Amino acid sequence: MMKYGTIAGGEKSTVHAASVILENGGNAFDAAVGAVFTSMVSEYNLTGAGGGGAFLACPANSDPILFDFFVDTPPPQPDKELDFFDIMVDFGPSQQEFHIGQGSVAIPGNTAGLLEVHQRLGQVPLIAVLEPAVVAARSGVILNETQAYLIKILEPILINSTAGCDLFRPNGKLLKKGDRFQNPSFADFLNMLVAEGSRYFYEGDGAELILNTVGQQGLITRECLSQYTVVERQPLKSQFRGKTIYTNPAPATGGTLITFALQLMDQSDRNSKSDFTNLVKAMQMSSTARRDFCHDMKNEMQISQVLTPKIFKQYLNLFNSGFTISHPQNDPLSRGATTHVSILDKQGNAASVTTTNGEGCGYLIPELGIMLNNMLGEEDLNPMGFHLWPRQQRLPTMISPTLVMGKKGVELVLGSGGSNRLRSAISQIILNLFAKNMDLESAVHTARIHLEGNVLHFEPGALLETLPDDIQLHSWNEKNLFFGGVNAVTPVDAVGDPRRGGFGMIC
């Protein structure tokens, strides 16, 4: 039974920060903001002040609010020579190419968004909210296996600059599991936020440091940085198995595709197919719908069309007919450098926040201890190609902070990392809980599947059934971060996803 709240996050220090804030009088929104800033130390390679995110807030006895603070594209500068280059990251069994450099940096939103959430919904002073993150940055955090692995595979990006070498090779050797990671410059940055607020980062001395780091071969300007705004949106609302689901609406794509898949399964003729077949088919149809409706750079809201009654009915009819796509395409590649925090407090407030920094652009701001994002180089965010946007606009994102409500209030708060895989991960947790009646730990831990093109990836223990001949199977030897990292809470339980080193606690 909770005394203060239930918390799940991507790392133990992140979750502990939230518990300290709750125990000292903060609410779920204070705790979530403090936890995310702490995760910028404890999960440095997954999120950061120079990245973007979304925060689904549900104050007790009120309607949910979606704070959209994902990254913006800078104004187009088509003839500019950019520092934009490829780098290979070795995952062991495979290598993947990433696009980084000063020309990969989009206008960051995390700092503005988190501070706005605190200002709107928090109940303790900002200095108290940021104190755990300040302590973590100065004293350091002990690297767990997941975070050490990320440092190892991202080494080419992390040490691309001298400042990166200083931070991640403090004694000439790359940090490893069990080492203490310290970032005192980030603690100084947090103290500046207490003193000056987000203005420091977007208009003041911090903005000057951003512009100096991006330089003449990047695209961020003083004007577009100062014009960045956090957008409050009405969450996307749907019904599933008698529950109400709220998630991230357009221009984000992930929440719409999760809703689309769940609606297909909820409204389908379930007597004609097994749950497993329905799930695989829903994954296939979701990827098809994304390609069908995400091809106009001038219309960032286009994904919402798949849920209009006429268009959705066409997909539902195809779904029920047994129609299969003979040559499905893979989604654009992305590792999914993202993390999530879920919190329910004793007052009934719910916070679901997902943030990301991409892989990082390869350049640190040494005075702030911050690496800016590489979102303009993320293929999954730029499926039509790089640097093609027509104006300053919000990039579409797959991140999908989500909550599920029943008749008595919030029953589940969840979200995930994992790029295009996060939508299948979140959908499977909801199915496990509300269609298969699993408990939360089983729902998060049980083996997952993910359809990528015509290849069905599956973890050990997945119960496979007969599939069409054109679906190939790819088995994984162990549960893997490829399948997302769902951190979820209910009023009585909290579970962090072991695939990404997650941690849950009831305090």
Side-chain angles (χ1 to χ4, degrees), residues 368-401:
L368 306 180
I370 292 171
M371 181 179 286
L372 298 168
N373 69 82
N374 70 320
M375 300 303 185
L376 303 184
E378 287 278 308
E379 290 186 35
D380 195 50
L381 301 180
N382 301 273
M384 299 296 103
F386 300 119
H387 305 120
L388 297 179
W389 57 89
R391 61 187 181 276
Q392 181 171 338
Q393 63 189 59
R394 195 80 12 127
L395 267 179
T397 175
M398 203 61 69
I399 62 175
S400 306

Side-chain angles (χ1 to χ4, degrees), residues 392-419:
Q392 181 171 338
Q393 63 189 59
R394 195 80 12 127
L395 267 179
T397 175
M398 203 61 69
I399 62 175
S400 306
T402 301
L403 62 86
V404 181
M405 296 187 73
K407 293 180 179 179
K408 295 183 180 180
V410 177
E411 295 187 7
L412 174 67
V413 183
L414 76 163
S416 179
S419 189

Side-chain angles (χ1 to χ4, degrees), residues 283-299:
M283 291 178 179
Q284 187 181 56
M285 296 291 282
S286 297
S287 294
T288 300
R290 184 189 184 192
R291 286 189 294 274
D292 288 347
F293 286 92
C294 292
H295 49 68
D296 183 359
M297 296 292 291
K298 296 180 180 179
N299 180 10

Side-chain angles (χ1 to χ4, degrees), residues 127 130 134 138 184 186-197:
I127 190 171
L130 297 184
V134 172
R138 290 208 191 283
F186 187 67
D188 296 337
F189 165 71
L190 295 175
N191 287 328
M192 291 305 301
L193 294 184
V194 173
E196 298 187 24

Side-chain angles (χ1 to χ4, degrees), residues 35 102 129 213 233 250 254 270 291 502:
Q102 294 159 317
V129 168
T213 300
R233 304 188 191 277
R270 289 196 289 273
R291 286 189 294 274

Side-chain angles (χ1 to χ4, degrees), residues 14 18 32 47 60 83-84 86 100 162 201 205 211 214 230 293 364 378 388 401 426 437 464:
T14 302
T47 187
D83 175 61
F84 187 77
D86 303 337
I100 66 170
T162 301
F201 198 59
D205 291 343
L211 294 170
V214 172
V230 179
F293 286 92
L364 263 82
E378 287 278 308
L388 297 179
I426 291 172
N437 298 314
L464 304 181

Side-chain angles (χ1 to χ4, degrees), residues 44-47 87 89 91 96-100 104 150 153-158 333-338 356-364 371-375 377-381 419 421 500:
Y44 189 96
N45 294 296
L46 298 178
T47 187
I87 196 164
V89 172
F91 287 86
Q96 189 171 328
E97 184 179 73
F98 293 103
H99 309 277
I100 66 170
S104 72
L150 291 170
I153 65 173
L154 295 177
E155 180 181 6
I157 297 173
L158 296 175
L333 288 173
S334 179
R335 185 177 61 86
T338 308
T356 180
N357 200 39
E359 283 69 43
C361 70
Y363 294 91
L364 263 82
M371 181 179 286
L372 298 168
N373 69 82
N374 70 320
M375 300 303 185
E378 287 278 308
E379 290 186 35
D380 195 50
L381 301 180
S419 189
R421 282 95 60 200
R500 294 193 173 213

